Each structure stands twice: as C-alpha cells, then as structure tokens.
Amino acid sequence: MNEIIREIEKEQLKETVSDFHVGDTVKVYGKIKEGNRERIQVFEGTVLKIQGGSSRATFTVRKVSNGVGVEKTWPMHSPNVEKVEVVRRGKVRRAKLYYLRDRVGKKAKVKELVK
C-alpha cells in the first residue's frame, strides 16, 4: 500500500523548487481565480516555518499589512504557487520563528545573512 501512495505522490512533485530557508524574506507568486479569470497575486513576507515532506511539504509566510499580522500557509508543490522568489536571506538559529508573532516594529526584523 505504501508503494502505491509513494508513486502517486512522486508524480505530483514539482521538478524545480525554490531554495529558501526559515527566516528568509520571500515573494510568493500565487494564482488567484476570480470567476472565469485567473491572475497572479504576490505575497511578500518572512518564512516562519517549513514542515512536512515529499508532496505534503508546506511553508508559512508572515507579513504585516496595515498594522495587522497576516500569515498564509502555502503547499510547496502546489500548482497554485507559480514561483517563490527570495528577496533577502535571514540569519536565524531555530527552525520555527513563532516568537515573531509577539513582536512589533523593528523587533520583528530578522538579521540579514551576509556571505
């Protein structure tokens, strides 16, 4: 049974997945369907977490819009995610950045990774 499930999931994987990590600021180009029209909407924010594996992998992006924190969880291999573009790399030392939810203003920034 597990073999069959793995084969089905393998077919659903994208060939190229953007290389980004927790703490990075990214632009997610998501397809939005309005009636019979389809357009692409950009969601820019900080990656809070990446979880799951294979075709079930998801990532959560957080941004502050009009003073209100907005979080969106995107499936990594979804056809509705056109592309993920890394704006800047973040320097973090943990896998989940839940502490950013409680912070406001400059405290909510993640240091930039300089190479």
Side-chain angles (χ1 to χ4, degrees):
M1 188 67 176
N2 285 338
E3 301 286 329
I4 299 167
I5 294 172
R6 274 195 214 111
E7 283 297 318
I8 294 170
E9 286 182 349
K10 199 180 290 182
E11 294 169 7
Q12 296 173 348
L13 296 177
K14 284 185 180 177
E15 286 81 33
T16 56
V17 179
S18 300
D19 182 40
F20 61 93
H21 303 286
V22 174
D24 294 351
T25 302
V26 295
K27 285 184 180 178
V28 182
Y29 292 82
K31 290 181 185 175
I32 305 291
K33 197 164 194 174
E34 295 173 333
N36 58 355
R37 295 185 325 126
E38 200 173 84
R39 65 183 180 87
I40 294 177
Q41 188 174 34
V42 180
F43 189 88
E44 183 175 351
T46 306
V47 178
L48 284 189
K49 65 180 177 177
I50 299 173
Q51 66 182 18
S54 72
S55 66
R56 297 187 198 110
T58 60
F59 61 99
T60 301
V61 180
R62 178 182 175 82
K63 75 173 183 178
V64 177
S65 179
N66 296 326
V68 179
V70 179
E71 289 184 16
K72 246 183 175 178
T73 302
W74 302 87
M76 193 93 61
H77 297 281
S78 171
N80 291 333
V81 176
E82 189 72 25
K83 67 178 179 175
V84 179
E85 184 181 295
V86 178
V87 177
R88 64 188 201 104
R89 298 276 179 195
K91 182 182 179 187
V92 293
R93 296 174 64 179
R94 43 184 83 202
K96 307 277 195 272
L97 304 180
Y98 296 136
Y99 66 90
L100 289 180
R101 293 173 176 164
D102 301 328
R103 300 198 176 177
V104 180
K106 286 187 177 180
K107 293 183 210 169
K109 276 188 173 180
V110 175
K111 286 185 181 178
E112 189 167 357
L113 183 65
V114 180
K115 289 191 177 183

